[in-house]
């Protein structure tokens, strides 16, 4: 098979509604969230799950790769694959790159397709903050989060680190609140217009994202107090929530896409990079810079102009703005239907949510031909991917 035939393409993309931790999805475990999404992806390309080994256009599903951060362990991707009824032969692998896990899983699937290891993969992420088990260190101290870096190098919590990043980048509280208010208003509008409907898989009785609420103006947001440091600028209203949800895509070879006869999102470039863990929110910057302004080594030509659509995980308004500014991305083009500030941030799933949203914009709605998905994660890491529509 030629190199062109092995090019990875996303041909289906789905997600659950994003629930507020302790809310409508509070009783759904990670595998219960992910399984219906996996089934929906196969149904979308005309291969509903019927109990036999899962196949796409005659090609077996080679693996299920899911990102997850705070789940129960025990390889939730394999559990979800079995719960989805994909067949005992379909394995599963769980990926942890913290908040970037979902996007990292998709890129791992794309790499496997390009390498010729398989031609069809289900990949994405899932998080259930509501059902994450309580953990304790030996001796009884509560385990609240994983170490992102050795303590002697600096391992700040994300909220205080976001305040530092915003201050160093000169992002004012007013600008952060305006950015957050825009995210909220865009999500409310998109929800009312039915923009999300085609990508959603109802689960546990929830058919719509829980977090979007009208009425968040910059003036209202200005009344919120700092959430993490006394003189900080990150608040509960201009930061993401703690959430439950799952998102995944079907990644196939270009050969399989042609056999299906459907349009898709082809992976044009991707990068995973690191930065100072004390400034962990800036991890996306070198990755975004590489895929937007670097050289595409496969074609030995300069990267194209600005993408038509940008999906960036808005963990904190100040941190998101610092990354977008540093990478040369117009803040007004990011998250056109609202981002994580308005929709929520189900950690292990969030990177996959970005690709689902791009698929809806570029393939379902035909609103452009090129897109960027990017986010920062714990430990000073960043992942970015550039996509192009093929048909």
């Amino acid at each position: 098979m030629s190199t062109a035939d092995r090019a990875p393409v996303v041909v289906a993309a789905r997600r659950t509604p994003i629930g507020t931790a302790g809310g409508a999805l509070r009783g759904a475990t990670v595998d219960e969230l992910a399984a219906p999404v996996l089934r929906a992806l196969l149904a979308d390309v005309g291969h509903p799950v019927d109990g036999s080994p899962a196949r796409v256009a005659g090609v077996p599903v080679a693996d299920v790769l899911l990102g997850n951060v705070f789940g129960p362990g025990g390889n939730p991707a394999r559990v979800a694959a079995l719960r989805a009824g994909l067949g005992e032969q379909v394995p599963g692998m769980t990926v942890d790159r913290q908040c970037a896990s979902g996007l990292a899983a998709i890129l791992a699937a794309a790499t496997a397709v390009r390498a010729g290891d398989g031609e069809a993969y289900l990949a994405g992420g899932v998080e259930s903050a509501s059902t994450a088990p309580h953990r304790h260190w030996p001796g009884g101290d509560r385990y609240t989060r994983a170490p992102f870096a050795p303590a002697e190098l600096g391992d700040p919590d994300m909220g205080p680190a976001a305040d530092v990043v915003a201050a160093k980048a000169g992002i004012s509280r007013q600008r952060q609140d305006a950015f957050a208010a825009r995210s909220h208003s865009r999500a409310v509008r998109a929800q009312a217009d039915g923009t999300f409907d085609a990508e959603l898989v109802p689960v546990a009785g929830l058919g719509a994202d829980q977090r979007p609420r009208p009425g968040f103006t910059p003036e209202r947001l200005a009344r919120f107090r700092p959430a993490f440091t006394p003189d900080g600028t990150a608040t509960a209203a201009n930061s993401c929530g703690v959430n439950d949800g799952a998102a995944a895509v079907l990644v196939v070879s270009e050969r399989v896409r042609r056999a299906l006869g459907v349009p898709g999102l082809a992976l044009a470039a991707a990068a995973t990079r690191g930065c100072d863990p004390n400034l962990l929110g800036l991890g996306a910057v070198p990755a975004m810079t590489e895929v937007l302004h670097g050289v595409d080594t496969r074609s030995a030509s300069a990267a194209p102009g600005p993408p038509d659509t940008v999906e960036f995980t808005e963990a904190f308004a100040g941190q998101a703005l610092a990354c977008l500014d540093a990478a040369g991305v117009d803040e007004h083009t990011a998250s056109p239907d609202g981002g994580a500030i308005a929709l929520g941030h189900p950690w292990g799933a969030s990177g996959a949510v970005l690709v689902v949203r791009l698929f809806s914009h570029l393939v379902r709605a035909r609103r452009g031909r090129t897109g960027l998905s990017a986010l920062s994660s714990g430990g000073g890491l960043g992942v970015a991917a550039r996509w192009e529509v093929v048909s």
Side-chain angles (χ1 to χ4, degrees), residues 12 14 31-51 54 64 79-87 122 201-203 248 250:
R14 290 292 203 114
D31 55 292
E32 290 170 336
L33 290 173
V37 175
L38 301 179
R39 288 194 293 268
L41 291 170
L42 295 176
D44 282 351
V45 293
H47 291 270
V49 175
D50 60 7
V64 174
V79 181
L82 290 170
R83 183 176 290 280
L86 304 183
L122 295 167
V201 180
V203 62
L250 174 58

Side-chain angles (χ1 to χ4, degrees), residues 11 15 32 44 47 54 75 81-82 86 108 110 122 126 145 162 177 194 247 250 259 279 304 332 336 355 384:
V11 294
R15 67 179 179 91
E32 290 170 336
D44 282 351
H47 291 270
N75 195 5
L82 290 170
L86 304 183
L122 295 167
V126 59
R145 71 161 175 87
D177 287 345
L250 174 58
L279 302 173
H332 295 86
V355 184

Side-chain angles (χ1 to χ4, degrees), residues 209-234:
D209 298 309
Q210 274 195 289
R211 184 172 168 85
R213 290 179 293 170
F216 276 117
T217 63
E219 294 75 21
R220 182 180 175 188
L221 267 62
R223 298 199 293 266
F224 282 76
R225 296 179 177 178
F228 305 106
T229 57
D231 298 320
T233 51

Side-chain angles (χ1 to χ4, degrees), residues 49-373:
V49 175
D50 60 7
S52 58
R55 303 180 75 85
V56 177
V59 171
V61 172
D63 210 343
V64 174
L65 310 179
L66 293 178
N68 181 249
V69 178
F70 267 107
N75 195 5
R78 168 63 169 169
V79 181
L82 290 170
R83 183 176 290 280
L86 304 183
E88 296 176 355
Q89 298 89 340
V90 179
M93 182 174 73
T94 303
V95 176
D96 182 359
R97 207 187 281 275
Q98 294 297 290
C99 298
S101 299
L103 183 54
I106 293 171
L107 296 182
T111 297
V113 170
R114 185 175 284 126
D117 293 341
E119 290 192 78
Y121 289 79
L122 295 167
V126 59
E127 202 70 51
S128 174
S130 295
T131 66
H134 292 172
R135 295 177 171 90
H136 296 80
W137 293 109
D141 290 340
R142 177 77 180 275
Y143 176 100
T144 55
R145 71 161 175 87
F148 298 141
E152 60 270 21
L153 296 181
D155 185 23
D157 286 338
M158 288 188 173
D163 280 336
V164 171
V165 164
K168 287 180 69 69
I171 310 296
S172 69
R173 168 68 186 272
Q174 290 75 20
R175 189 179 170 200
Q176 292 176 55
D177 287 345
F179 180 85
R182 185 166 62 242
S183 182
H184 284 292
S185 65
R186 286 177 171 182
V188 169
R189 181 204 65 224
Q191 193 171 60
D193 291 347
T195 300
F196 302 132
D197 292 355
E199 68 194 38
L200 292 177
V201 180
V203 62
L206 183 64
D209 298 309
Q210 274 195 289
R211 184 172 168 85
R213 290 179 293 170
F216 276 117
T217 63
E219 294 75 21
R220 182 180 175 188
L221 267 62
R223 298 199 293 266
F224 282 76
R225 296 179 177 178
F228 305 106
T229 57
D231 298 320
T233 51
T235 72
N238 64 27
S239 304
C240 66
V242 178
N243 300 93
D244 305 327
V249 302
L250 174 58
V251 184
V252 302
S253 66
E254 170 60 14
R255 187 188 74 83
V256 170
R257 184 201 68 79
R258 291 198 306 271
L260 290 169
V262 298
L265 273 185
L267 180 64
T272 301
R273 299 291 183 266
C275 73
D276 181 353
N278 292 287
L279 302 173
L280 55 90
L282 295 177
V285 173
M288 294 167 71
T289 302
E290 176 70 19
V291 301
L292 289 176
H293 310 299
V295 173
D296 187 333
T297 56
R298 290 177 296 120
S299 63
S301 61
D308 296 319
T309 302
V310 175
E311 289 290 342
F312 187 91
T313 298
E314 308 163 351
F316 307 90
Q319 168 263 336
L321 285 165
C323 287
L324 295 171
D325 286 356
V329 176
D330 181 354
E331 66 177 87
H332 295 86
T333 68
S335 306
D337 294 322
I341 288 172
L343 295 171
H345 184 7
W347 307 305
S350 289
V353 170
L354 302 177
V355 184
V356 173
R357 297 266 54 250
L358 282 180
F359 189 89
S360 286
H361 278 285
L362 301 174
V363 179
R364 288 193 177 101
R366 300 181 182 179
R367 292 158 58 185
R369 294 193 60 82
T370 61
L372 170 73
S373 55

